[in-house]
Amino acid sequence: MKKGRGRTSRIRRRKLSKSFQFRGVNESYKPEFIELRKWLKDRKFEDTNLIPASFPGTGRGLMSRTSLREGQVIISLPESCLLTTDTVIRSYLGAYVAKWRPPLSPLLALCTFLVAEKHAGDRSPWKPYLEILPKTYTCPVCLEPEVVSLLPKPLRAKAREQRIRVQEFFASSRDFCCSLQPLFSEAVERVFSYSALLWAWCTVNTRAVYVARRRRQCFSAEPDTCALAPYLDLLNHSPGVQVKAAFNEETRCYEIRTSSSCRRHEEVFICYGPHDNQRLLLEYGFVAARNPHACVYVSQGWDCFWFLSRG
């Protein structure tokens, strides 16, 4: 028998092929990630567990540098790296937010700040983070009406509700955005356009982590719980993964602790929640393969929608 043709060799090749399916291509050498790493280091964060990488099937994510054990803290991001409403209040927008009546929603404050900082370009201290954010999103609200019309009826109805909600959000932002004209040489209608605020809304909606803030008079009564977490938000979703994620009041860091082990050079996942694929597409713009939370939606007239991804 020729070398490499036996049963043992075939098993070894299958195992090797399977392991490479989960391995990514290191992207830490790319300029945008080099700048992000410098920016994070200035804010007292250096990661020894994870590196940015590109993976088949999931795209950009984070890969383990070494084997990770069950119960290990895989990332601990300092409060100084988080973008919250506190960030907005401390910025040049703070005075405008504080005096505006009726009070702004925390979401609008975050979105306005994102658009203003993106418009600032090289002058923005948040540029290294803004550079790695998606330029576009795939939530139904971002899709063309012709594409939405092809979705199953229950999802189509939810997509239209989402579009109406974003349009109302944009309409409610107009007066406040106009008050910011002294900060811009360009007309604020062009800076805070529908597409710009849609991008910001999707950024917060798809990438924010939960960090409860105390209620402040300058904001409306809506929950102030969204925080953008640079670098940490590169972690992709897997429905089969269990993690513990929360802001640690003692260390003043947002921490993620894994409940399972991970081998070296494999993609590290977190779970966004026990969501079915309709919810995942609406809120995050993707569906999960072999989703154990997949379910059947039945609308009036027994128009049935079985939203599964059989990857």
mmCIF file of all heavy atoms in Angstrom, residues 20 27 52 58 67 83 88 106 111 120 152 167 181 205 216 230 234-235 243 290 304:
data_model
loop_
_atom_site.group_PDB
_atom_site.id
_atom_site.type_symbol
_atom_site.label_atom_id
_atom_site.label_comp_id
_atom_site.label_asym_id
_atom_site.label_seq_id
_atom_site.Cartn_x
_atom_site.Cartn_y
_atom_site.Cartn_z
ATOM 1 N N PHE A 20 -9.286 22.663 10.386
ATOM 2 C CA PHE A 20 -9.043 23.867 9.598
ATOM 3 C C PHE A 20 -10.327 24.605 9.245
ATOM 4 O O PHE A 20 -10.306 25.780 8.920
ATOM 5 C CB PHE A 20 -8.263 23.534 8.323
ATOM 6 C CG PHE A 20 -6.776 23.537 8.524
ATOM 7 C CD1 PHE A 20 -6.079 22.346 8.629
ATOM 8 C CD2 PHE A 20 -6.077 24.729 8.653
ATOM 9 C CE1 PHE A 20 -4.707 22.346 8.829
ATOM 10 C CE2 PHE A 20 -4.712 24.743 8.854
ATOM 11 C CZ PHE A 20 -4.015 23.542 8.946
ATOM 12 N N GLU A 27 -5.810 38.678 10.914
ATOM 13 C CA GLU A 27 -5.937 40.001 10.304
ATOM 14 C C GLU A 27 -5.344 41.096 11.195
ATOM 15 O O GLU A 27 -5.527 42.281 10.920
ATOM 16 C CB GLU A 27 -7.409 40.318 10.015
ATOM 17 C CG GLU A 27 -8.014 39.452 8.929
ATOM 18 C CD GLU A 27 -9.310 40.022 8.373
ATOM 19 O OE1 GLU A 27 -9.892 40.926 9.002
ATOM 20 O OE2 GLU A 27 -9.734 39.549 7.296
ATOM 21 N N PRO A 52 -7.840 39.496 15.923
ATOM 22 C CA PRO A 52 -8.809 39.593 14.823
ATOM 23 C C PRO A 52 -8.450 38.610 13.711
ATOM 24 O O PRO A 52 -7.274 38.400 13.402
ATOM 25 C CB PRO A 52 -8.656 41.049 14.347
ATOM 26 C CG PRO A 52 -7.918 41.749 15.430
ATOM 27 C CD PRO A 52 -7.063 40.726 16.097
ATOM 28 N N THR A 58 -18.459 32.823 8.809
ATOM 29 C CA THR A 58 -18.865 33.898 9.719
ATOM 30 C C THR A 58 -18.196 35.234 9.408
ATOM 31 O O THR A 58 -18.598 36.262 9.939
ATOM 32 C CB THR A 58 -18.544 33.532 11.186
ATOM 33 O OG1 THR A 58 -17.146 33.256 11.307
ATOM 34 C CG2 THR A 58 -19.345 32.319 11.625
ATOM 35 N N SER A 67 -5.063 28.002 23.823
ATOM 36 C CA SER A 67 -6.238 27.249 24.279
ATOM 37 C C SER A 67 -6.892 27.981 25.446
ATOM 38 O O SER A 67 -6.211 28.470 26.345
ATOM 39 C CB SER A 67 -5.822 25.842 24.723
ATOM 40 O OG SER A 67 -5.301 25.115 23.625
ATOM 41 N N LEU A 83 -18.207 53.203 24.813
ATOM 42 C CA LEU A 83 -18.894 54.401 24.321
ATOM 43 C C LEU A 83 -20.318 54.358 24.853
ATOM 44 O O LEU A 83 -21.117 53.513 24.440
ATOM 45 C CB LEU A 83 -18.866 54.435 22.798
ATOM 46 C CG LEU A 83 -19.152 55.767 22.103
ATOM 47 C CD1 LEU A 83 -18.742 55.712 20.635
ATOM 48 C CD2 LEU A 83 -20.615 56.170 22.210
ATOM 49 N N VAL A 88 -21.104 60.843 25.628
ATOM 50 C CA VAL A 88 -21.795 61.933 24.940
ATOM 51 C C VAL A 88 -21.851 63.174 25.828
ATOM 52 O O VAL A 88 -21.561 64.290 25.385
ATOM 53 C CB VAL A 88 -23.216 61.510 24.520
ATOM 54 C CG1 VAL A 88 -23.918 62.647 23.790
ATOM 55 C CG2 VAL A 88 -23.169 60.252 23.648
ATOM 56 N N PRO A 106 -31.753 58.208 25.317
ATOM 57 C CA PRO A 106 -30.350 57.775 25.296
ATOM 58 C C PRO A 106 -29.910 57.275 23.927
ATOM 59 O O PRO A 106 -28.777 57.509 23.509
ATOM 60 C CB PRO A 106 -30.320 56.656 26.347
ATOM 61 C CG PRO A 106 -31.437 56.989 27.282
ATOM 62 C CD PRO A 106 -32.516 57.572 26.415
ATOM 63 N N CYS A 111 -26.664 57.872 18.890
ATOM 64 C CA CYS A 111 -26.652 57.919 17.425
ATOM 65 C C CYS A 111 -26.134 59.264 16.908
ATOM 66 O O CYS A 111 -25.367 59.314 15.947
ATOM 67 C CB CYS A 111 -28.055 57.642 16.876
ATOM 68 S SG CYS A 111 -28.591 55.931 17.085
ATOM 69 N N ALA A 120 -16.516 63.864 11.596
ATOM 70 C CA ALA A 120 -15.262 64.537 11.953
ATOM 71 C C ALA A 120 -14.045 63.881 11.308
ATOM 72 O O ALA A 120 -12.990 64.523 11.178
ATOM 73 C CB ALA A 120 -15.104 64.551 13.476
ATOM 74 N N PRO A 152 -40.891 36.029 3.767
ATOM 75 C CA PRO A 152 -42.142 35.396 4.222
ATOM 76 C C PRO A 152 -43.024 36.407 4.950
ATOM 77 O O PRO A 152 -42.517 37.356 5.562
ATOM 78 C CB PRO A 152 -41.657 34.285 5.151
ATOM 79 C CG PRO A 152 -40.263 33.995 4.682
ATOM 80 C CD PRO A 152 -39.703 35.299 4.237
ATOM 81 N N GLN A 167 -38.030 55.343 10.795
ATOM 82 C CA GLN A 167 -38.463 56.604 10.185
ATOM 83 C C GLN A 167 -38.980 57.578 11.241
ATOM 84 O O GLN A 167 -38.702 58.786 11.165
ATOM 85 C CB GLN A 167 -39.540 56.316 9.136
ATOM 86 C CG GLN A 167 -38.999 55.645 7.877
ATOM 87 C CD GLN A 167 -40.095 55.161 6.939
ATOM 88 O OE1 GLN A 167 -41.257 55.023 7.334
ATOM 89 N NE2 GLN A 167 -39.732 54.900 5.697
ATOM 90 N N GLN A 181 -26.313 73.101 14.575
ATOM 91 C CA GLN A 181 -25.713 73.791 13.433
ATOM 92 C C GLN A 181 -24.466 74.605 13.793
ATOM 93 O O GLN A 181 -23.500 74.625 13.014
ATOM 94 C CB GLN A 181 -26.746 74.692 12.755
ATOM 95 C CG GLN A 181 -26.259 75.367 11.476
ATOM 96 C CD GLN A 181 -25.887 74.367 10.386
ATOM 97 O OE1 GLN A 181 -26.751 73.737 9.782
ATOM 98 N NE2 GLN A 181 -24.586 74.191 10.134
ATOM 99 N N ASN A 205 -27.931 49.153 17.536
ATOM 100 C CA ASN A 205 -28.876 48.055 17.670
ATOM 101 C C ASN A 205 -28.206 46.692 17.522
ATOM 102 O O ASN A 205 -28.602 45.724 18.182
ATOM 103 C CB ASN A 205 -29.985 48.199 16.622
ATOM 104 C CG ASN A 205 -31.216 47.377 16.955
ATOM 105 O OD1 ASN A 205 -31.810 47.535 18.008
ATOM 106 N ND2 ASN A 205 -31.588 46.477 16.050
ATOM 107 N N ARG A 216 -30.690 59.979 34.477
ATOM 108 C CA ARG A 216 -30.295 61.390 34.559
ATOM 109 C C ARG A 216 -31.381 62.256 33.950
ATOM 110 O O ARG A 216 -32.040 61.870 32.988
ATOM 111 C CB ARG A 216 -28.963 61.611 33.836
ATOM 112 C CG ARG A 216 -27.761 61.110 34.623
ATOM 113 C CD ARG A 216 -26.547 60.967 33.753
ATOM 114 N NE ARG A 216 -26.733 59.918 32.761
ATOM 115 C CZ ARG A 216 -25.785 59.523 31.922
ATOM 116 N NH1 ARG A 216 -24.605 60.080 31.960
ATOM 117 N NH2 ARG A 216 -26.023 58.570 31.042
ATOM 118 N N PRO A 230 -15.730 48.599 21.797
ATOM 119 C CA PRO A 230 -14.734 48.369 20.744
ATOM 120 C C PRO A 230 -13.920 47.100 20.961
ATOM 121 O O PRO A 230 -13.543 46.785 22.099
ATOM 122 C CB PRO A 230 -13.845 49.616 20.833
ATOM 123 C CG PRO A 230 -14.739 50.671 21.393
ATOM 124 C CD PRO A 230 -15.632 49.955 22.369
ATOM 125 N N LEU A 234 -16.368 42.449 18.098
ATOM 126 C CA LEU A 234 -15.998 41.614 16.957
ATOM 127 C C LEU A 234 -16.378 40.152 17.178
ATOM 128 O O LEU A 234 -16.360 39.354 16.246
ATOM 129 C CB LEU A 234 -14.480 41.702 16.704
ATOM 130 C CG LEU A 234 -13.944 43.041 16.182
ATOM 131 C CD1 LEU A 234 -12.426 43.046 16.207
ATOM 132 C CD2 LEU A 234 -14.459 43.312 14.778
ATOM 133 N N LEU A 235 -16.718 39.799 18.407
ATOM 134 C CA LEU A 235 -17.109 38.423 18.716
ATOM 135 C C LEU A 235 -18.430 38.076 18.034
ATOM 136 O O LEU A 235 -19.420 38.789 18.186
ATOM 137 C CB LEU A 235 -17.241 38.238 20.232
ATOM 138 C CG LEU A 235 -15.929 38.224 21.026
ATOM 139 C CD1 LEU A 235 -16.203 38.466 22.504
ATOM 140 C CD2 LEU A 235 -15.183 36.912 20.819
ATOM 141 N N VAL A 243 -21.889 31.787 27.688
ATOM 142 C CA VAL A 243 -20.919 32.684 28.306
ATOM 143 C C VAL A 243 -21.606 33.479 29.416
ATOM 144 O O VAL A 243 -22.834 33.567 29.456
ATOM 145 C CB VAL A 243 -20.305 33.678 27.281
ATOM 146 C CG1 VAL A 243 -19.523 32.957 26.201
ATOM 147 C CG2 VAL A 243 -21.391 34.565 26.670
ATOM 148 N N ARG A 290 -28.078 25.699 11.836
ATOM 149 C CA ARG A 290 -28.426 24.689 12.851
ATOM 150 C C ARG A 290 -28.822 25.355 14.169
ATOM 151 O O ARG A 290 -28.304 25.028 15.239
ATOM 152 C CB ARG A 290 -27.250 23.727 13.045
ATOM 153 C CG ARG A 290 -26.936 22.900 11.800
ATOM 154 C CD ARG A 290 -25.771 21.965 12.017
ATOM 155 N NE ARG A 290 -24.519 22.697 12.179
ATOM 156 C CZ ARG A 290 -23.784 23.161 11.167
ATOM 157 N NH1 ARG A 290 -24.196 22.960 9.921
ATOM 158 N NH2 ARG A 290 -22.657 23.796 11.386
ATOM 159 N N CYS A 304 -47.778 29.767 6.455
ATOM 160 C CA CYS A 304 -46.786 29.229 7.386
ATOM 161 C C CYS A 304 -45.368 29.605 6.980
ATOM 162 O O CYS A 304 -45.028 29.594 5.803
ATOM 163 C CB CYS A 304 -46.925 27.711 7.415
ATOM 164 S SG CYS A 304 -45.960 26.931 8.706
#
